[in-house]
Amino acid sequence: MKAAVHTSPGVIEIQEVAEPVPGPGEIKVRIEYTGICGSDVEIVNNHFGKQKLDSWPKGPKIEGHEACGTVVEIGPNLRHGFKAGDRVALGLGESCGGCYSCRNGLEHFCDVWKPCPGTWAQYGAFPEGAAYALPEGLPLQMGALAEPVSIAIRLVDVAGVKTGQSLLIAGAGTIGLLSLAVARQAGATTRVVSEPRAHKRQLALDHGATAAVDPLAEPLYSAAERLTNGRGFNSVLEASGNLGSAKAVLNAVANHGTVVWAGVYPDDAEVAVNPYQMYEKDITLKGSWIAPYSFYRGLEFLQAYDLSYIVTDVHPLEKTQEAFDHHLEGNSIKTLLQCWN
Ligand SMILES: [Zn+2]
Ligand SMILES: [Zn+2]
């Protein structure tokens, strides 16, 4: 089979590799569409913090984690009833359900977490617990959005978005725009997007933003004053990964508001926080790691709403390097790789 193999920083080669064989509790999936995520960009460029861990697999490696496809073979001892022909979307990995973390509502910190292998390939063998049946009628391209949609759903939860309240989203990439769609349905009535690129601001305005600001033209604190009657935003999602933005959003939040730093930031960077400001304004500052217990909700959301505007680029798997380089230019929203043609 063909696979896009990350061989050195910034370099992806198409290689002919052996097809995976599903082991116990695994399914072999013919991957149809797989996405390029903001975290994949960091990983391929060797900038992702977790790559420094001993547990991170080294050497040439197939990357990617957003995918959907069709089950073609099952391994022994399956527990969840998948069979050949089932259409599935894939999460990041399988949590066990029985360890200390899983039994305390923290499946994303499962003590024996089984990560999925990379999805930028024609086939993968995945733990069955990482797979979710695709709702009937949901196009495969949309199925590849299930993982990022589940991330957005979790972020809107973590940000404490409530009916009738105001929300600022910094960054109109995939996660920013998906969070905007979810927050709109969650009832946020003032939905402002901060984004330096004009065509992305327009996309946000076309799909649920009540206003869009250029943070290079107007400081966020002044946009916050202007757009919220001087109160600031009840919830703020920083989804750009930009450190300047991570700092600036702290001055855009309302009294008793919540700020979520949701980007992939450099692991050695620091952002100054004024603790007195946190105290005086009763501010909550949060992070958010992946999307525990959100995948079914993601699939429901994909069924209920047309999110096809998120997919701006589709490239054949053979052109992964070109797709990656083009995505790096920053004008695309979601870039998908089509694994068969
Ligand atoms: Zn992702
Ligand atoms: Zn566990």
Side-chain angles (χ1 to χ4, degrees), residues 36-40 65-66 92 147-148 151 175 334:
I36 296 181
C37 177
S39 62
D40 296 323
H65 60 268
E66 301 171 358
L92 287 160
E147 193 271 343
I151 298 272
I175 297 302
K334 176 54 68 188

Side-chain angles (χ1 to χ4, degrees), residues 63 88 123 129 148 161 174 197 199 201 203 208 237 262 322 333:
E63 310 290 6
V88 293
Y123 293 105
V161 171
T174 297
R197 290 179 195 247
H199 77 280
R201 286 199 299 278
L203 201 56
L237 279 178
E322 290 88 333
I333 306 296

Side-chain angles (χ1 to χ4, degrees), residues 95-99 102 110-112:
S95 57
C96 76
C99 71
C102 285
C110 174
D111 300 355
V112 287

